[in-house]
Amino acid sequence: MGINQGPISLDQKYTQSSGHVFLTGIQALVRLPMAQVRRDRAMGLNTAAFVTGYRGSPLGGYDQQLHAARKHLEQYNVKFQPGVNEDLAATAIWGSQQLNLSPGAKFDGITGIWYGKGPGVDRCGDVFRHGNAAGSAKNGGVLCLAGDDHGAKSSTVPHQSDHAFISALMPYLYPSSIHEMIEMGLLGIAMSRYSGCWVGMKVITETVETTAEINLNDEMTPFIIPTDFEMPPGGLNLRWPDDRYAQDKRLQDYKGFAAVAFARANKINRITMDSPNARYGIMASGKSYEDIRQALRELGITPEVAAKIGLRLYKIGMPWPLEPEGVRQFAVGLEEIFIIEERREIVENQVKQELFNWRDDVRPRIIGKMDNHDKRFLPFAEELSVASLASSLTERLLQLDLNPEIVAMLRAKADWFNGRQATQVQAVAPVTRTPYFCSGCPHNTSTKVPEGSRAMAGIGCHFMSLWMDRNTETYTHMGAEGVPWVGIAPFTNEKHIFANLGDGTYFHSGSLAIRQSVASKANITYKILYNDAVAMTGGQRHDGDLSPQQITFQLHSEGIREIWLVSENPDAYPASTIAPGTKLAHRDELDKVMRTVREVPGCSAIVFVQTCAAEKRRRRKRGLMEDPNKRLFINSAVCEGCGDCSVQSNCISVEPLETELGRKRTINQSSCNKDYSCVKGFCPSFVTVEGGTLRKRVPVALDDLGELPEPATTPSLEKPYNIAVGGVGGTGVLTIGALLGMAAHIEGKASMILDMSGLAQKGGAVLSHVRLSQNTANVTCSRIVTGTADLLIAADEVVAVAKETITLAESSRTYGVI
Ligand SMILES: Cc1ncc(C[n+]2csc(CCOP(=O)(O)OP(=O)(O)O)c2C)c(N)n1
Ligand code: SF4
Ligand code: SF4
């Protein structure tokens, strides 16, 4: 029988309380607070939940999904309030645990869920330390979701949040796949209530940007309360008054140990595979656990083969603090333990510490980042893959005395993986898809600098100017834009610099960077790029009111006297609405304005106002913004192909047009966002058409297609069927994956879809890994392993030959549709 039963609906992912639902990892996290309140209600508790934090990949879309699910959340008293930035959000979480100090408390407790990407976790060092010391409420609990981007696929630096959590003495969990997301989240909340700790949870692309069926049947199962931990008098939860030394003692002496006892009682870490005479142990946490399970499958290590080798596998759900009893039981009788972790080692050091005092003759060797001769074994920096783990594991297993058949099998498989690895190193795609500003993006104009000047970049879409010819160099983390100049200016003869600062970033924390520059009397001009959206993360609104006029007043209050407001329509800003002395200019005069301000000593500012083109497109579609009825065309008979319109506009809708008389230019009317900056070069080839509309493409009538033939064969799905779908933003890649997944769900089959979208919306590559199977147990690892794609569907030729795509294909196995 299939996995799902009964009728299917899109709301089911939030309304259904048992059985299977089909959802994304982000949607699982939306479901989490509702599930918690439902559990509490079943226990007779009247609780609420408070979700706050700040967006950023891989949790970039969490806020949007929470907004979309508002009507469901309200039924469970779940309040979502995005933070102005991450640490202020975390402070509000701290408050949620203080509810019962308030005489008017309306609930028995509030579950606090904080979210942010890795750099946001870093920002929260101080508040996490304070909040964790103060503790969680008995009927509340705090879960901090850290979106870690180990491979820096959509970040300015690769990161892992593990050390930040450890520094604040916060225990943290690490689900190995989307299937565990809700279960572990609930467990983290229960652990937080029990231990008084704030509990972290690491989520990464492979777990949160994945879609799959999830089994809800354990959602209401109670957790086990430890019997081997003695609660100190007064318990471990938040209280007031609370002396700081008493708080610290409670944290140091009890809270972490209570969390460990809870982990032990609930078997958060556990042996998941064992052999009668086990001699070789493998330990892995999070994604690495599913990677190594897949590597075992790929190597042909079935349970029978594993028993012959003597394998034992340990799944770690809580990497820190590592529960010691489980480690000791796991290690008994083993010759060697192979510990697999992506990026820096956390578990490995703790296991070494745990086994340090064991007798030499019974202590297993520990292999992980280092081998037993202290030589580098697993990489620190790169992401681990199933293929690389299969090779590494084989290398270690071949050191054992193994049955010759197993040796031959492992050698053959590892050689195959190594061979592919070698060819992949050489594979260089002839061209790549580099993300770029969207057509009509305001940053095309705003990030220009006048000759003789230089600019510094910051966080946001405008970051992409670093790879354009824009005299823009170096960048900072979010909210410190321009401040490196404070450390350079006193020591250089360079007189002035421009700093780009997005409006989202200004609201988040960047206004303080400006204060720093003013305070240090730096000679700098901030270009505040007001595009009316937090564009890079999906076009969210600011998390509060922020108008260009308001910014001028704030800048004025900081002491800046040279302020310009540059826009397409300067008349829209009468003097009474902007700060005293603010000067207005049309955006066509930007160069002149910049040449003026760079001569004015001290900190100056230009507020550049133009709405994000992607946002305009969305608003026009929804009828929230007027769609101008003017279009620009290039008359190819007049065009001389000089390319000046591309240079002027930097716009990707100005495309080459190959003609008998050589390469000319044309405007792609379907992608043009009507910002009209290409016409600025006063070229006579431009033709303006007013009032005309584009001829609509006639949709294909399904009846005209006739009878579509059934496929000659369909895969049985006994084994997973792997489909790689590649393209760029807007080519329907994510839709194809979503349709296939939902179709499989409707047929009662299992699927797992991993969307690697990065900067797809800005013309970057997007690749979906779609895995279909008869049952869930076969598809727990979301990535397609090298050379195992059965089908490649490419909506873009360049992405089809990109290294990430082509390495999934294998000539004897993969069918391609381009
Ligand atoms: C501390 C931190 N939080 C979140 C992010 C994720 N992030 C990257 S770009 C961005 C949006 C920036 O928006 P804005 O400044 O308005 O620039 P735009 O993208 O609109 O050009 C965010 C939130 C981050 N890089 N660092
Ligand atoms: S999303 Fe908006 S700000 Fe970002 S590149 Fe596109 S148009 Fe520019
Ligand atoms: S349209 Fe004008 S500016 Fe653009 S390539 Fe042709 S001649 Fe040059």
mmCIF file of all heavy atoms in Angstrom, residues 634 639-645 665 683 685-686, ligand 3:
data_model
loop_
_atom_site.group_PDB
_atom_site.id
_atom_site.type_symbol
_atom_site.label_atom_id
_atom_site.label_comp_id
_atom_site.label_asym_id
_atom_site.label_seq_id
_atom_site.Cartn_x
_atom_site.Cartn_y
_atom_site.Cartn_z
ATOM 1 N N ILE A 634 14.841 48.617 -29.925
ATOM 2 C CA ILE A 634 16.010 49.076 -30.682
ATOM 3 C C ILE A 634 15.756 48.767 -32.152
ATOM 4 O O ILE A 634 15.440 47.620 -32.506
ATOM 5 C CB ILE A 634 17.296 48.380 -30.190
ATOM 6 C CG1 ILE A 634 17.616 48.833 -28.751
ATOM 7 C CG2 ILE A 634 18.469 48.662 -31.117
ATOM 8 C CD1 ILE A 634 18.737 48.066 -28.090
ATOM 9 N N CYS A 639 20.856 50.590 -35.394
ATOM 10 C CA CYS A 639 21.863 50.191 -34.393
ATOM 11 C C CYS A 639 23.196 49.869 -35.068
ATOM 12 O O CYS A 639 23.245 49.166 -36.073
ATOM 13 C CB CYS A 639 21.354 48.968 -33.635
ATOM 14 S SG CYS A 639 22.582 48.196 -32.593
ATOM 15 N N GLU A 640 24.294 50.399 -34.496
ATOM 16 C CA GLU A 640 25.626 50.128 -35.051
ATOM 17 C C GLU A 640 26.383 49.092 -34.230
ATOM 18 O O GLU A 640 27.555 48.833 -34.452
ATOM 19 C CB GLU A 640 26.419 51.422 -35.115
ATOM 20 C CG GLU A 640 25.871 52.351 -36.178
ATOM 21 C CD GLU A 640 26.553 53.709 -36.155
ATOM 22 O OE1 GLU A 640 27.380 53.941 -35.254
ATOM 23 O OE2 GLU A 640 26.240 54.518 -37.034
ATOM 24 N N GLY A 641 25.706 48.586 -33.208
ATOM 25 C CA GLY A 641 26.315 47.510 -32.403
ATOM 26 C C GLY A 641 27.464 47.968 -31.527
ATOM 27 O O GLY A 641 28.342 47.179 -31.191
ATOM 28 N N CYS A 642 27.487 49.222 -31.149
ATOM 29 C CA CYS A 642 28.627 49.716 -30.360
ATOM 30 C C CYS A 642 28.579 49.212 -28.910
ATOM 31 O O CYS A 642 29.585 49.169 -28.230
ATOM 32 C CB CYS A 642 28.656 51.235 -30.366
ATOM 33 S SG CYS A 642 27.315 51.966 -29.419
ATOM 34 N N GLY A 643 27.394 48.830 -28.420
ATOM 35 C CA GLY A 643 27.274 48.278 -27.067
ATOM 36 C C GLY A 643 27.128 49.329 -25.979
ATOM 37 O O GLY A 643 27.070 48.994 -24.794
ATOM 38 N N ASP A 644 27.063 50.603 -26.372
ATOM 39 C CA ASP A 644 26.997 51.654 -25.348
ATOM 40 C C ASP A 644 25.741 51.520 -24.473
ATOM 41 O O ASP A 644 25.775 51.809 -23.280
ATOM 42 C CB ASP A 644 27.032 53.038 -26.012
ATOM 43 C CG ASP A 644 27.075 54.138 -24.967
ATOM 44 O OD1 ASP A 644 28.022 54.128 -24.150
ATOM 45 O OD2 ASP A 644 26.147 54.977 -24.927
ATOM 46 N N CYS A 645 24.628 51.052 -25.069
ATOM 47 C CA CYS A 645 23.399 50.927 -24.266
ATOM 48 C C CYS A 645 23.584 49.898 -23.155
ATOM 49 O O CYS A 645 23.077 50.078 -22.042
ATOM 50 C CB CYS A 645 22.205 50.575 -25.150
ATOM 51 S SG CYS A 645 22.548 49.283 -26.341
ATOM 52 N N ARG A 665 22.070 45.001 -31.204
ATOM 53 C CA ARG A 665 21.446 44.828 -29.883
ATOM 54 C C ARG A 665 19.927 44.791 -30.019
ATOM 55 O O ARG A 665 19.347 45.412 -30.920
ATOM 56 C CB ARG A 665 21.814 45.977 -28.935
ATOM 57 C CG ARG A 665 23.283 46.072 -28.584
ATOM 58 C CD ARG A 665 23.738 44.866 -27.743
ATOM 59 N NE ARG A 665 25.127 45.005 -27.313
ATOM 60 C CZ ARG A 665 26.179 44.685 -28.068
ATOM 61 N NH1 ARG A 665 26.014 44.234 -29.288
ATOM 62 N NH2 ARG A 665 27.412 44.830 -27.598
ATOM 63 N N CYS A 683 21.173 57.248 -27.993
ATOM 64 C CA CYS A 683 21.396 56.566 -29.262
ATOM 65 C C CYS A 683 20.160 56.726 -30.144
ATOM 66 O O CYS A 683 19.033 56.535 -29.689
ATOM 67 C CB CYS A 683 21.667 55.089 -28.994
ATOM 68 S SG CYS A 683 21.671 54.136 -30.493
ATOM 69 N N SER A 685 18.990 54.791 -32.234
ATOM 70 C CA SER A 685 18.318 53.530 -32.575
ATOM 71 C C SER A 685 17.092 53.263 -31.719
ATOM 72 O O SER A 685 16.288 52.395 -32.051
ATOM 73 C CB SER A 685 19.263 52.346 -32.369
ATOM 74 O OG SER A 685 20.526 52.642 -32.801
ATOM 75 N N PHE A 686 16.967 53.965 -30.601
ATOM 76 C CA PHE A 686 15.873 53.631 -29.689
ATOM 77 C C PHE A 686 14.530 54.140 -30.173
ATOM 78 O O PHE A 686 14.402 55.269 -30.641
ATOM 79 C CB PHE A 686 16.167 54.187 -28.287
ATOM 80 C CG PHE A 686 17.045 53.249 -27.509
ATOM 81 C CD1 PHE A 686 18.424 53.294 -27.653
ATOM 82 C CD2 PHE A 686 16.485 52.297 -26.672
ATOM 83 C CE1 PHE A 686 19.234 52.407 -26.984
ATOM 84 C CE2 PHE A 686 17.287 51.409 -25.981
ATOM 85 C CZ PHE A 686 18.671 51.466 -26.127
HETATM 86 S S1 SF4 B 3 21.272 50.482 -29.740
HETATM 87 FE FE1 SF4 B 3 22.630 52.258 -29.954
HETATM 88 S S2 SF4 B 3 23.832 52.180 -28.118
HETATM 89 FE FE2 SF4 B 3 22.908 50.169 -28.310
HETATM 90 S S3 SF4 B 3 24.393 48.927 -29.429
HETATM 91 FE FE3 SF4 B 3 23.015 49.794 -30.943
HETATM 92 S S4 SF4 B 3 24.062 51.691 -31.542
HETATM 93 FE FE4 SF4 B 3 24.997 51.089 -29.654
#
